[in-house]
Amino acid sequence: MAKTGGFANFTLGESSKASVLLPTHFTTASKASKKGQKFGDLVRTYAAKGSKVTDENNLALHDLLTDEVQPENESFGYGTRFSATGDTHPLFNGDTLNMTDAEMNTLEDRLNTAQGNGNILHEMAFSIRGDWLVENGLYDPETKQLDQDRLKRAEQNIVQDLFDRGFKLPLGESPDDVVWFGVIHQDTDHLNMHLWFTKESRETRPEMMHKSGEPKGVLNFTAKKQAESHFRYGLESEAVKRARGDVFEAVGEYRSSMKQDALLTLDETNKYLPTLRKFLRLFQRTLEAVGRLVIRIDLLLMKRAIWSPQTGK
């Protein structure tokens, strides 16, 4: 990803139409500990780094494009902006769209506990192109406004399925056993939504561990693709969904037409089956007769080959 030197300067007009990409990475507790790193450190030193995140441009584009005054609650515009809430940060999890200092402290402690229990820290990044954000009403390139709340809710809506289906067994052994948080980074040519998660309690289940005793880190590919698909669908505008529905409807009608044509062809073919069977039986009898004739000719030739002119025998 190329740095842009500012916030929400996403590249537009790209030839590639890929919308959402989802690369994954994981770090083991032992590897991090050997480097002197703590899972909790990334909360403030990387995830919430001031050059990467801001809530100042967080505004639902519906608010921006209408003259109606929207109520200031957690669902609309300035009511959840960093400048309005004061002590909150752009980091989010399953309970909030903007964490307080106290919540971030708790998050750091839980991440460090997970590391102490030998668990793996998983990282995923939804990399989203600017054109797709504009198409789905999430980004205004003129004002640099970005509907961050809608993006965050979309991530909130897919994480539980990912935790439950991404491994041989659900990652958490209780409802609160998985620690996770996300953040939106706006300092590159594509928007990046990061997601970090880890199991907090010590992993002891054989299905979830290597023979070495270390937890397994590889995420199920199908679960990953489903999460990517559900995330994308949750963010698509109604216009985009209708357009895709029209395409599916046209494809369905074409398939139905093909099926009907095939059935008619089979019906026409069935009309000639009796005649075809008669022809095959006649052809088989002809082959049998030809075979018998060939045998008779071979016998005749053999007799002529052994006949002697001197004896006439």
Side-chain angles (χ1 to χ4, degrees):
M1 295 293 172
K3 299 291 183 180
T4 60
F7 293 118
N9 293 321
F10 308 126
T11 300
L12 300 176
E14 294 183 294
S15 57
S16 176
K17 296 302 181 183
S19 54
V20 178
L21 303 175
L22 186 57
T24 59
H25 175 74
F26 67 85
T27 302
T28 63
S30 58
K31 185 176 180 179
S33 297
K34 285 180 181 178
K35 294 182 177 181
Q37 299 171 337
K38 291 184 177 180
F39 286 175
D41 290 344
L42 67 84
V43 174
R44 296 181 193 271
T45 60
Y46 176 71
K49 195 172 182 180
S51 61
K52 296 178 179 292
V53 299
T54 180
D55 208 36
E56 291 296 323
N57 65 338
N58 180 19
L59 181 66
L61 296 193
H62 173 76
D63 297 353
L64 189 68
L65 298 175
T66 65
D67 295 328
E68 298 178 9
V69 177
Q70 302 290 349
E72 288 197 356
N73 57 36
E74 65 176 3
S75 301
F76 296 101
Y78 289 92
T80 54
R81 288 181 56 175
F82 180 63
S83 58
T85 54
D87 65 341
T88 60
H89 304 273
L91 274 69
F92 65 99
N93 60 14
D95 299 319
T96 181
L97 297 182
N98 294 82
M99 286 189 175
T100 63
D101 285 325
E103 288 169 333
M104 289 178 67
N105 290 335
T106 299
L107 173 63
E108 290 174 344
D109 291 341
R110 294 188 67 193
L111 288 171
N112 290 332
T113 297
Q115 182 177 357
N117 285 331
N119 290 317
I120 285 176
L121 180 66
H122 299 267
E123 178 185 359
M124 307 178 76
F126 294 89
S127 182
I128 312 173
R129 295 182 183 276
D131 292 310
W132 193 85
L133 292 169
V134 173
E135 182 183 20
N136 290 283
L138 293 160
Y139 170 59
D140 185 337
E142 296 296 326
T143 64
K144 306 300 181 184
Q145 298 291 350
L146 180 69
D147 196 343
Q148 295 187 49
D149 287 356
R150 191 169 144 208
L151 287 161
K152 291 176 181 181
R153 291 191 185 97
E155 190 167 295
Q156 286 177 331
N157 290 336
I158 60 97
V159 291
Q160 193 59 53
D161 277 348
L162 190 64
F163 302 157
D164 290 343
R165 302 178 184 179
F167 308 90
K168 284 191 174 181
L169 297 174
L171 182 60
E173 296 185 68
S174 65
D176 298 322
D177 195 24
V178 177
V179 187
W180 78 269
F181 74 102
V183 69
I184 299 173
H185 282 172
Q186 304 183 47
D187 61 329
T188 53
D189 54 353
H190 297 157
L191 180 144
N192 289 311
M193 285 193 70
H194 292 274
L195 165 65
W196 288 275
F197 62 92
T198 180
K199 186 179 189 294
E200 185 173 14
S201 65
R202 184 176 298 277
E203 184 59 83
T204 58
R205 296 168 293 179
E207 299 91 338
M208 301 288 281
M209 302 176 71
H210 293 291
K211 291 181 180 180
S212 64
E214 193 167 73
K216 295 179 180 179
V218 178
L219 192 68
N220 178 276
F221 179 78
T222 300
K224 172 189 167 183
K225 297 305 291 184
Q226 287 177 343
E228 180 181 325
S229 177
H230 292 162
F231 175 80
R232 185 172 58 246
Y233 184 80
L235 288 170
E236 286 178 343
S237 67
E238 289 304 315
V240 170
K241 289 177 180 177
R242 284 196 300 270
R244 186 177 59 247
D246 291 341
V247 172
F248 287 163
E249 183 178 355
V251 170
E253 290 177 354
Y254 180 67
R255 287 178 174 174
S256 178
S257 176
M258 287 182 62
K259 181 179 179 181
Q260 187 63 31
D261 290 345
L263 290 173
L264 289 174
T265 301
L266 287 173
D267 287 342
E268 290 296 321
T269 303
N270 288 337
K271 293 179 181 179
Y272 299 104
L273 281 178
T275 303
L276 183 59
R277 290 194 185 98
K278 290 180 181 179
F279 171 78
L280 289 175
R281 284 196 293 269
L282 178 61
F283 183 67
Q284 184 177 3
R285 288 196 293 269
T286 302
L287 288 178
E288 292 172 352
V290 170
R292 289 194 295 270
L293 179 60
V294 169
I295 293 174
R296 294 182 63 184
I297 292 174
D298 285 343
L299 291 173
L300 180 61
L301 290 174
M302 288 175 62
K303 287 182 179 180
R304 293 189 62 181
I306 62 175
W307 178 76
S308 172
Q310 289 80 14
T311 61
K313 297 180 180 179

